[in-house]
Amino acid sequence: MPTSITAITNQKGGVGKTTTAAALLTCLSQQGTRVLGVDLDPQGSLGFSLGLDIEHCSTIYDVFRGAAEPQEVIAHTETCDILPSNILLSAAEVEFNKPGREFLLKTALSKIEEQYDYIIIDTPPALNILTVNAYVASDSLIIPMAPEVLSLLGVSQIKETIESVRSYYNSRLKVLGILLNRFNARLNLSREMLDLAQQIAAQLDTKVFSTKIRTSVTAAEAPAHGISVVEYAPRSNPAQDFMALCNEITGGPLASTGHEGAL
């Protein structure tokens, strides 16, 4: 099967994008597939969360400016391979201003994607050229949101960007679903946000994932240990939920000899 490329996106920060990306990379890796994480956030949180020293390694920024090939920049962790980033990537909006800059990531991934079954892209909390690059390179999007109004606003504002990318650069782009993070079914606010998320999902021609990620301190603790919550606390509610989400997305546990379903 062709490589599946999925971006985790929401222009609102603090909604669990990096936690989701790290957890899905871990779950897919545990199921025997070849996975690559791509960190497009200048904060470098995905690489840091999976144990990389992001200040002393080559990054995706070096690839974009032509100083390195993607294969040379790939870092290997116990969980998966990663194309890391750090604060230097924050210059992208100004520095990469030539025609075709929307295709920098797609061009880079075309050189290495055959090595992987799944590629997961962590995006910055903004609708900028880095996010557009992620959308252009991806087959699909997952939109995490927290049960709060500002998070919901971020989701609604993504629609215009998605439609623009579909019109000009990537007609095949689809939204796999909206993922509710830090969810507590006993709280009125969580239930109200679920109703609103379902309305927005309908506008995006997608769904709210039936799997919700329950809140737990373990999800916040895991990055300091350089592993995802799935490895840090495999019996915790978030870890169990992320494993269920992975199965929901792929259509069930994956065989080690191949992969089924599509991210």
Side-chain angles (χ1 to χ4, degrees):
M1 291 182 66
T3 305
S4 175
I5 304 177
T6 299
I8 314 299
T9 182
N10 189 328
Q11 74 170 63
K12 175 76 170 61
V15 298
K17 289 189 295 292
T18 301
T19 299
T20 299
L24 286 176
L25 286 165
T26 302
C27 291
L28 290 166
S29 178
Q30 288 179 348
Q31 294 180 352
T33 60
R34 303 168 300 164
V35 290
L36 173 69
V38 179
D39 196 345
L40 276 194
D41 188 345
Q43 296 179 70
S45 298
L46 181 61
F48 175 81
S49 296
L50 294 177
L52 291 183
D53 180 1
I54 60 171
E55 300 306 324
H56 299 93
C57 66
S58 298
T59 69
I60 190 70
Y61 172 72
D62 298 305
V63 177
F64 285 172
R65 66 189 183 94
E69 290 295 317
Q71 190 66 50
E72 300 168 344
V73 173
I74 292 173
H76 307 284
T77 74
E78 293 183 6
T79 302
C80 63
D81 289 353
I82 295 182
L83 280 174
S85 75
N86 59 30
I87 196 63
L88 294 175
L89 189 59
S90 61
E93 194 74 33
V94 175
E95 187 170 343
F96 305 124
N97 54 16
K98 296 179 181 178
R101 66 182 189 150
E102 298 86 0
F103 294 91
L104 287 168
L105 181 61
K106 183 177 178 65
T107 300
L109 293 182
S110 69
K111 300 177 180 180
I112 56 174
E113 63 181 87
E114 290 185 358
Q115 302 172 34
Y116 301 99
D117 300 310
Y118 293 99
I119 298 175
I120 305 291
I121 305 168
D122 190 21
T123 62
L127 294 179
N128 57 19
I129 190 59
L130 294 172
T131 303
V132 170
N133 262 267
Y135 290 12
V136 172
S138 295
D139 307 306
S140 58
L141 307 175
I142 292 173
I143 305 175
M145 59 169 284
E148 55 188 45
V149 173
L150 290 178
S151 172
L152 197 68
L153 181 63
V155 176
S156 64
Q157 292 173 339
I158 285 175
K159 183 181 179 184
E160 185 176 340
T161 303
I162 293 173
E163 290 175 348
S164 294
V165 169
R166 281 176 177 156
S167 296
Y168 296 107
Y169 309 115
N170 181 7
S171 60
R172 75 183 188 283
L173 183 66
K174 64 179 180 179
V175 182
L176 281 183
I178 294 173
L179 174 66
L180 289 175
N181 272 326
R182 301 203 305 272
F183 190 77
N184 185 340
R186 292 173 294 182
L187 296 180
N188 287 336
L189 180 59
S190 286
R191 293 195 297 269
E192 290 169 3
M193 288 300 105
L194 173 57
D195 291 340
L196 290 171
Q198 288 170 336
Q199 294 175 29
I200 292 179
Q203 296 173 23
L204 294 172
D205 193 27
T206 189
K207 64 180 180 180
V208 177
F209 287 111
S210 57
T211 304
K212 316 293 188 296
I213 311 303
R214 288 168 287 179
T215 187
S216 169
V217 69
T218 56
E221 294 172 344
H225 297 267
I227 51 178
S228 79
V229 67
V230 175
E231 289 185 289
Y232 174 66
R235 296 184 180 180
S236 67
N237 285 339
Q240 295 292 317
D241 294 340
F242 277 120
M243 286 186 274
L245 174 69
C246 187
N247 290 335
E248 180 178 351
I249 292 168
T250 61
L254 304 171
S256 61
T257 54
H259 64 284
E260 300 173 3
L263 270 174

